[in-house]
Amino acid sequence: METVSQSPSVMMAEDRSSTEPSSDPNPCPICLASVVEESYLDQCFHKFCFNCIVRWTSIVASKRSCAPSSFKCPLCKTENFSIIYGYDGTSFQQHYIGRSVRNRSDFFSEAHRYRLKCYYSDPGNLADKLQVSRYWKFRKYLQQNHFLPNWLRREIQALMQEEDVDIIMHHVVGVIDSLRRNWLKNSRNSTETAQKEFRLSVSEAARPFLTGRTERFVNESELFLASGLNIDAFDKAYTEHLGWKIPGIEHDEPLEHIPAVPYLYILDEDSDGDGN
């Protein structure tokens, strides 16, 4: 007798067949009952029961020859990379496809959680407050930033939820250092060209590892470099700008009292170089 393969949705629905039909106007699309433990896909933000979508992805993964790192939403077919769940108004948890649920290593600190949360928040006009345009205009990108490796390590750890990311970190640092050396040799390059080269090169270096979060990672890297701040000062400026209170980050001074010009710009002249 031929065996008929059932779809993941049918299998999940059968598991809850004893449940009364839900009167909820927005039921879980998989089990068709009221959503239990709300969870969202990280790219399309469709909502499901946490257990339903985790089991659905597990069933889909079991039909593949190798473990996937992404999956398509059962509703809109958008490619997603993780499931967001446990949101309590200030923080959330994240389950990446192909990894065990609720199993996060001890290295994942409050600082990692805060940085991961930043990727789901609008930074608003933080680029203006940290004066990103001055960073490029006054060619501060020619200076080496000694805080960058540690900042990148934490950033990539937060995004990938992996502790050992030094190979990726050194790869990105190497790309940025190579750009800086080329810029020093070719000082006639315009700042607009340098900025485009930076964004393109860092994006190409990070995309194989960060996939859908690459563009935001490039934006955050540019913010950090342009700020001229160390990691602690950058965290403080970032969280106070967003109005967050993060354990381990001092908030004894409001953002408006932080100097508007980061320390790397102290020696800059306010003029545009026209002698005025």
Side-chain angles (χ1 to χ4, degrees), residues 123-183:
N125 65 340
L126 187 57
D128 293 333
K129 290 192 175 183
L130 296 180
Q131 303 195 16
V132 171
S133 61
R134 286 175 61 90
Y135 174 75
W136 296 104
K137 180 178 180 179
F138 292 102
R139 299 181 182 272
K140 292 300 179 182
Y141 54 85
L142 297 178
Q143 299 179 5
Q144 188 172 12
N145 187 311
H146 298 287
F147 303 120
L148 182 62
N150 286 334
W151 183 86
L152 283 174
R153 179 184 292 109
R154 186 188 66 175
E155 203 78 357
I156 298 169
Q157 284 176 337
L159 290 171
M160 298 185 66
Q161 299 193 28
E162 295 281 356
E163 184 173 10
D164 186 8
V165 299
D166 278 8
I167 292 178
I168 304 171
M169 179 271 289
H170 287 302
H171 176 52
V172 176
V173 169
V175 167
I176 295 174
D177 283 346
S178 178
L179 282 172
R180 186 172 55 84
R181 289 192 295 269
N182 289 335
W183 291 331

Side-chain angles (χ1 to χ4, degrees), residues 224-236:
F224 178 73
L225 288 170
S227 73
L229 302 171
N230 62 30
I231 296 175
D232 290 340
F234 179 78
D235 288 350
K236 181 177 179 180

